[in-house]
Amino acid sequence: QVQMVEAGGGLVQPGGHPGLSCAASGSIVSIPFMGWYRQAPGNQRELVASISSAGTTNYADSVKGRFTISRDDAADKVYLQMNSLKPEDTSVYYCNARIRSTAEYFYRLNDYWGQGTQVAVSS
């Protein structure tokens, strides 16, 4: 009953500043955690950035100072603003949310994932 839909990404130039968005919809009570992960070919999926319902953020060392995660609780959306992009940022980016849903017994928490969007940094 919960869906995650990503938007954004594509081919961008080095130094670019694209943004990604992800919207959650369904029988949502609360979203205590939202985050962005990425997975490049041959690599394991890694956490890029996360944000709690209190606004506490965490970033991977590789993106700290360049990427910014934010959330719009009224719209159940999470965003990732990417600045000063490097070729090594090329990856498939996935949004993730830990959601308390009325569709679950006792409104228990479950993790939900977006479909993934490609970000290719190339001139």
Side-chain angles (χ1 to χ4, degrees):
Q1 288 87 1
V2 175
Q3 300 292 127
M4 304 282 290
V5 180
E6 299 181 30
L11 180 63
V12 297
Q13 295 181 337
H17 47 272
L20 304 179
S21 67
C22 181
S25 62
S27 303
I28 297 171
V29 175
S30 63
I31 309 178
F33 171 91
M34 305 183 86
W36 288 94
Y37 293 74
R38 67 185 182 186
Q39 186 170 17
N43 292 348
Q44 296 187 11
R45 187 172 298 185
E46 64 173 348
L47 177 65
V48 176
S50 66
I51 184 168
S52 73
S53 59
T56 302
T57 59
N58 286 288
Y59 296 92
D61 289 341
S62 59
V63 306
K64 188 173 297 184
R66 298 188 297 118
F67 291 9
T68 302
I69 187 171
S70 62
R71 58 189 288 169
D72 181 348
D73 290 334
D76 291 333
K77 290 183 177 180
V78 61
Y79 303 90
L80 186 68
Q81 179 62 55
M82 299 179 287
N83 298 320
S84 302
L85 281 173
K86 306 173 182 179
E88 52 264 42
D89 293 319
T90 296
S91 188
V92 177
Y93 286 73
Y94 300 87
C95 66
N96 169 264
R98 188 163 299 150
I99 297 175
R100 190 177 302 278
S101 173
T102 59
E104 297 291 328
Y105 289 114
F106 309 110
Y107 295 4
R108 60 190 176 189
L109 293 165
N110 278 324
D111 282 345
Y112 297 88
W113 292 88
Q115 77 277 13
T117 184
Q118 175 73 48
V119 175
V121 184
S122 176
S123 60

